[in-house]
């Protein structure tokens, strides 16, 4: 079943090249949209079937480092897609209620009548991130505060900031992977050492048994030599000193 949200504007609807481009092309990262006019108003319907808004998603949960990476990658990809289709990147809505999530992927609304600048919208969104971030994850907090700080600068390069943060996040992930690998290697070494100890113990045990057998041979020979005679043939048992 299709689910959609509608944004209305109290202006007469005019279909320009933007809405035609959006309706005729499937642009990666953008939600499907249809424009229409009704009673002197402009309406834009966005298909959000199977998706949940960022606002709803983080109402009871916190943003993780994985979430931050997924968002930054999605934002970078959609900016490139929008520019490739000769659309205006400043028309992308960046409010949490208009950003949607499905299967580890974020999707955005392109609203032709949007008037605010993308740079201001990004910083405002970073303020939202600061409130929703998982503060138990130091690496996640570090990247979010970096985004918040750098988007406060005038004429900042959004692409540069995103790329640097993605590289930083990748280093963090690699570091965590190395730590896990080292841990498992240590565990494996402990296991191998135990195997080695067990083998050593078996070998030592075999050597001891062999030594005991060598020590027991004279006693066995003595017992065979002085085997107890049958009943009635007992002459007494004589033990020579040299036999011992």
């Amino acid at each position: 079943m299709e689910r959609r949200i509608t944004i209305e504007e109290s202006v007469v609807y005019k279909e320009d090249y933007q809405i035609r481009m959006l309706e005729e092309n499937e642009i990666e990262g953008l939600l499907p949209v249809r424009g229409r006019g009704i009673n002197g108003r402009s309406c834009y319907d966005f298909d959000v079937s199977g998706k949940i808004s960022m606002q709803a998603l983080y109402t009871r949960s916190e943003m993780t480092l994985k979430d931050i990476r997924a968002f930054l990658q999605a934002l970078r990809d959609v900016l490139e897609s929008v520019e490739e289709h000769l659309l205006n990147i400043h028309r992308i809505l960046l409010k949490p209620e208009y950003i949607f999530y499905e299967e580890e992927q974020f999707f955005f609304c392109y609203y032709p009548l949007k008037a605010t600048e993308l740079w201001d919208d990004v910083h405002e969104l970073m303020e939202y991130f600061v409130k929703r971030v998982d503060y138990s994850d130091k690496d996640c907090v570090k990247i979010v505060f970096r985004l918040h700080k750098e988007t406060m600068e005038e004429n900042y390069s959004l692409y540069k900031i995103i790329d640097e943060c993605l590289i930083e996040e990748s280093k963090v992930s690699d570091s965590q992977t190395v730590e896990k690998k080292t841990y498992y290697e240590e565990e494996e070494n402990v296991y191998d050492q135990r195997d080695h100890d067990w083998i050593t113990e078996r070998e030592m045990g075999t050597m001891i048994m062999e030594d005991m057998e060598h020590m027991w041979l004279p006693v066995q020979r003595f017992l065979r030599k002085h085997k107890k005679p049958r009943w009635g043939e007992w002459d007494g048992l004589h033990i020579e000193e040299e036999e011992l």
Side-chain angles (χ1 to χ4, degrees):
M1 181 178 180
E2 182 178 297
R3 187 169 69 91
R4 65 185 183 182
I5 61 170
T6 301
I7 301 177
E8 295 185 14
E9 196 83 27
S10 57
V11 296
V12 177
Y13 176 74
K14 293 180 180 180
E15 187 170 299
D16 58 12
Y17 81 95
Q18 295 182 93
I19 197 65
R20 287 196 294 272
M21 182 69 75
L22 292 167
E23 290 180 345
E24 295 176 8
N25 295 274
E26 188 175 322
I27 302 177
E28 182 181 0
L30 290 183
L31 293 169
V33 60
R34 291 287 182 271
R36 56 190 173 88
I38 181 171
N39 298 328
R41 298 175 66 83
S42 297
C43 298
Y44 295 87
D45 304 314
F46 297 90
D47 183 0
V48 297
S49 302
K51 300 172 178 61
I52 183 173
S53 71
M54 175 181 283
Q55 185 180 56
L57 182 62
Y58 297 115
T59 296
R60 295 185 179 180
S61 62
E62 298 172 325
M63 298 191 75
T64 65
L65 188 60
K66 183 179 179 181
D67 296 334
I68 300 299
R69 176 181 175 79
F71 174 80
L72 292 177
Q73 189 64 61
L75 179 58
R76 198 189 195 294
D77 292 344
V78 78
L79 289 174
E80 291 182 347
S81 296
V82 167
E83 290 182 325
E84 287 174 0
H85 288 82
L86 305 178
L87 294 171
N88 190 339
I89 61 173
H90 297 283
R91 303 296 178 258
I92 299 173
L93 294 176
L94 288 180
K95 292 185 178 296
E97 59 267 35
Y98 296 123
I99 300 172
F100 287 79
Y101 180 87
E102 181 184 22
E103 296 181 353
E104 300 184 356
Q105 176 68 42
F106 288 94
F107 300 87
F108 302 86
C109 296
Y110 185 96
Y111 183 49
L113 302 182
K114 177 175 171 286
T116 57
E117 294 287 314
L118 181 75
W119 324 123
D120 297 330
D121 298 335
V122 170
H123 178 66
E124 186 176 338
L125 183 62
M126 292 307 107
E127 292 184 342
Y128 170 80
F129 279 17
V130 168
K131 297 176 183 177
R132 301 310 311 164
V133 70
D134 179 5
Y135 278 88
S136 66
D137 188 336
K138 293 181 180 179
D139 294 315
C140 184
V141 172
K142 180 180 177 181
I143 287 181
V144 168
F145 273 85
R146 177 179 179 178
L147 287 165
H148 183 268
K149 179 181 178 181
E150 295 193 13
T151 55
M152 291 178 65
E153 303 293 332
E154 293 185 6
N155 302 318
Y156 67 85
S157 171
L158 183 56
Y159 282 113
K160 181 181 178 182
I161 293 174
I162 291 176
D163 288 342
E164 289 178 350
C165 286
L166 287 175
I167 291 173
E168 183 68 24
E169 191 276 337
S170 180
K171 289 180 179 178
V172 171
S173 298
D174 291 342
S175 175
Q176 292 174 345
T177 301
V178 169
E179 288 178 1
K180 288 182 180 179
K181 184 178 180 181
T182 302
Y183 171 78
Y184 287 123
E185 286 178 347
E186 290 176 352
E187 286 292 308
E188 185 176 355
N189 289 337
V190 170
Y191 179 77
D192 290 344
Q193 183 62 42
R194 289 175 180 174
D195 282 352
H196 176 73
D197 292 344
W198 180 79
I199 294 171
T200 302
E201 289 176 0
R202 290 292 300 272
E203 291 177 345
M204 289 296 293
T206 302
M207 292 174 63
I208 291 171
M209 289 297 294
E210 290 176 351
D211 290 342
M212 289 181 67
E213 287 180 0
H214 290 309
M215 292 174 64
W216 184 249
L217 283 175
V219 177
Q220 288 179 322
R221 285 198 296 268
F222 169 79
L223 291 176
R224 282 197 297 269
K225 184 177 180 181
H226 300 282
K227 184 177 180 182
K228 183 178 179 180
R230 295 181 181 179
W231 186 259
E233 297 179 357
W234 178 260
D235 291 328
L237 179 62
H238 300 280
I239 300 176
E240 299 291 340
E241 184 176 354
E242 62 180 5
E243 293 179 326
L244 296 178

